[in-house]
Amino acid sequence: MVRGGGFKMSVWSGVLLKALRDPAYRDIDLDSIEEARFQAQVMQKKIPVREFYARAYRTLVELRVKYRVDPVGMEVEIGSGGGFFKSVRPQAVTTDIRRIDGVDETLDACDMHLKDGSVAVIYSLFCIHHIPRIRDFFKEALRVLEPGGLIVAIDPYWSPLGALFFRYFCSEPYAPDAKRWEFDGQGPMSCSNQALSYILLKRDRALFEAEFPRLRVVHQEPLASLDYLCAGALWGRQFFPTSVCRLAGKLEERSGPLKRLVSVFHSFVYRKQ
């Protein structure tokens, strides 16, 4: 058995995961700069993955526009990795805890070198579940956000397919029953709990609201992601042609009930009161 954060992956799923994984990705250290470079290469090579990321980035920006009127402060993306958010939102400052080529600044989301009340919005694409001291992040976000400022995020979702996918087909831990919000680990990518947004937004929602009353959830919605899965995600082989991936994504996008059943990611917004 493979263990991680209280999560156990069966031997058969481990073998299947290895078989599905792109050979070029198998020997990469998840916490290395090389991993971020591989991300960037995959986004250029696999059209459905690039299109999914572009849609996810647009969703982040659209949510900023919808929930924050006339922002004053700067816009900051945390955990930028090998992504291309800058091409979608040029005025945003891209950051990562690793020193990555093409990323504007090196930044620890739990200890930001930013002035009090200087930030209008913090963007996060697949980063929240990698923050081991999540309470420290929210405290720091409250410090740097201006009044009415936003945390706009996309992270793993707990749909029936999502729970199955993250439990058995991902190498990162998925621990919805974890007793603590925080988790141990040093690596920025290998250290994670993909069930963290489920814990914060559903399981322990009342506890979060009591502990952080100035952070109000103003939005939460599944994000169509079947095209991303059909393309093998970032780390897997693409077994379906791009046309099939696109069709799957469009069918999911047009059906609310289907999205709630099969979406493996969701968007959510916290607003500072």
Side-chain angles (χ1 to χ4, degrees):
M1 306 292 282
V2 179
R3 298 176 181 271
F7 146 88
K8 298 179 180 180
M9 183 189 296
S10 64
V11 173
W12 70 264
S13 63
V15 172
L16 182 59
L17 179 63
K18 186 175 181 180
L20 293 173
R21 191 174 295 276
D22 186 327
Y25 196 70
R26 289 177 185 170
D27 298 324
I28 291 179
D29 179 358
L30 292 180
D31 301 315
S32 66
I33 305 301
E34 183 185 7
E35 191 274 342
R37 292 175 182 148
F38 183 82
Q39 281 187 12
Q41 292 170 5
V42 171
M43 289 178 200
Q44 292 303 313
K45 181 176 67 175
K46 294 169 73 170
I47 295 174
V49 170
R50 183 170 71 248
E51 291 177 344
F52 168 78
Y53 268 80
R55 185 171 71 249
Y57 287 140
R58 289 194 301 269
T59 297
L60 293 177
V61 175
E62 289 165 2
L63 290 171
R64 198 288 295 169
V65 172
K66 180 176 181 179
Y67 290 104
R68 184 70 182 107
V69 178
D70 298 328
V72 176
M74 63 194 300
E75 301 183 10
V76 177
E77 184 196 22
I78 60 172
S80 301
F84 54 94
F85 187 56
K86 196 81 172 178
S87 67
V88 177
R89 192 67 172 172
Q91 61 267 58
V93 177
T94 56
T95 75
D96 199 279
I97 198 168
R98 299 167 292 178
R99 294 184 181 276
I100 298 174
D101 294 341
V103 173
D104 292 330
E105 296 186 20
T106 303
L107 185 76
D108 183 342
C110 296
D111 186 17
M112 303 185 212
H113 50 264
L114 303 171
K115 295 180 180 179
D116 294 2
S118 63
V119 178
V121 56
I122 297 171
Y123 298 106
S124 168
L125 180 61
F126 309 148
C127 178
I128 294 292
H129 70 280
H130 285 288
I131 301 177
R133 296 179 288 115
I134 193 65
R135 283 181 170 89
D136 289 347
F137 164 69
F138 286 121
K139 291 174 184 176
E140 189 71 343
L142 282 169
R143 182 186 68 79
V144 303
L145 285 173
E146 64 187 27
L150 306 175
I151 301 170
V152 183
I154 293 174
D155 230 45
Y157 181 50
W158 56 84
S159 71
L161 180 60
L164 181 69
F165 175 71
F166 292 115
R167 187 179 296 276
Y168 295 110
F169 296 96
C170 287
S171 57
E172 293 178 31
Y174 177 79
D177 299 323
K179 295 181 179 179
R180 300 167 59 244
W181 297 358
E182 293 77 15
F183 44 88
D184 298 326
Q186 298 297 322
M189 294 299 293
S190 60
C191 178
S192 70
N193 179 3
Q194 294 186 105
L196 187 57
S197 67
Y198 160 77
I199 292 171
L200 298 173
L201 290 165
K202 188 172 183 180
R203 193 195 77 181
D204 294 349
R205 176 75 170 266
L207 178 61
F208 180 91
E209 291 175 348
E211 192 164 335
F212 295 97
R214 296 177 63 199
L215 285 175
R216 180 186 175 193
V217 179
V218 294
H219 169 90
Q220 191 273 319
E221 183 181 20
L223 178 74
S225 43
L226 276 180
D227 52 345
Y228 177 77
L229 293 184
C230 288
L234 270 175
W235 46 263
R237 305 168 186 262
Q238 181 175 334
F239 291 104
F240 297 97
T242 295
S243 58
V244 172
C245 298
R246 285 172 171 165
L247 178 61
K250 288 179 180 178
L251 290 174
E252 180 188 5
E253 183 61 42
R254 293 174 182 175
S255 174
L258 182 62
K259 283 172 69 175
R260 288 189 288 274
L261 287 173
V262 303
S263 294
V264 299
F265 301 113
H266 67 137
S267 60
F268 52 96
V269 179
Y270 289 103
R271 181 160 56 200
K272 178 181 174 179
Q273 302 303 300

